[in-house]
Amino acid sequence: MTSPSMMLLNVLLTQQPAPDYAKPDSSLSPSYFEVLEQNSHIIYPAVAILTLVIIAAGILQAWRTQDLDGLQKNEFKRAIVNELRRNISGMPGDQLAKSVGLDRLKTNRLLEQMQQEGLVVSHTNSQRLTVWRIRGASPEPSVRKY
């Protein structure tokens, strides 16, 4: 049996009207958040793939623009050789780049290729400056006797 106080409490609880509670509209739950939550298995991988494609396209474009095509490369090599023939004692890479009209880094890359091909040689002088010259134009620095 239940006690009279329990019955009274039960009657009071059941007779109270239900509170008029409405869920407040939150500024953080608009419909597009629901769309994101419902379709997250499609949207997030698509955004990731799009990001990777954009990054890859940027890398490929930067890679292509840094290289010279064969004809331009040969013209600049010829200009470098002509400039080095004018200055038999040799020239630093920065001066060669200015006289040829090419970027300093591209000029140094061409000079290193030409050194591998055996067209030019380089040595570092006492001022720690790499000087490039035509192979055979003057004796090698290691052969010189002072």
Side-chain angles (χ1 to χ4, degrees):
M1 257 182 114
T2 60
S3 69
S5 62
M6 289 291 262
M7 285 179 22
L8 181 63
L9 182 64
N10 192 13
V11 168
L12 286 175
L13 287 176
T14 57
Q15 288 181 356
Q16 284 183 347
D20 293 330
Y21 178 75
K23 185 177 179 182
D25 291 333
S26 173
S27 63
L28 297 177
S29 62
S31 63
Y32 59 85
F33 280 125
E34 292 175 11
V35 170
L36 284 177
E37 289 176 1
Q38 291 172 355
N39 298 315
S40 64
H41 64 284
I42 296 171
I43 294 173
Y44 292 126
V47 169
I49 290 172
L50 180 67
T51 303
L52 290 175
V53 166
I54 290 172
I55 290 171
I59 290 171
L60 288 175
Q61 184 179 7
W63 182 42
R64 287 183 189 152
T65 57
Q66 288 183 358
D67 282 343
L68 299 171
D69 65 345
L71 183 61
Q72 284 179 335
K73 196 180 287 189
N74 285 335
E75 288 176 5
F76 282 119
K77 283 182 180 181
R78 184 178 344 179
I80 289 171
V81 167
N82 288 338
E83 195 65 35
L84 288 176
R85 283 182 182 161
R86 285 188 205 114
N87 298 311
I88 294 177
S89 61
M91 290 179 70
D94 294 340
Q95 285 181 354
L96 271 171
K98 287 178 185 176
S99 64
V100 171
L102 189 61
D103 183 38
R104 181 179 56 89
L105 296 173
K106 289 181 183 180
T107 304
N108 282 336
R109 193 176 323 138
L110 278 177
L111 285 167
E112 289 171 0
Q113 285 178 0
M114 292 171 68
Q115 186 175 20
Q116 289 174 353
E117 294 169 358
L119 296 173
V120 296
V121 293
S122 67
H123 68 277
T124 305
N125 61 10
S126 60
Q127 299 166 344
R128 295 185 182 162
L129 190 64
T130 303
V131 178
W132 298 89
R133 58 185 177 78
I134 293 287
R135 179 179 285 278
S138 61
E140 299 288 329
S142 60
V143 176
R144 292 183 188 162
K145 295 183 180 182
Y146 297 101

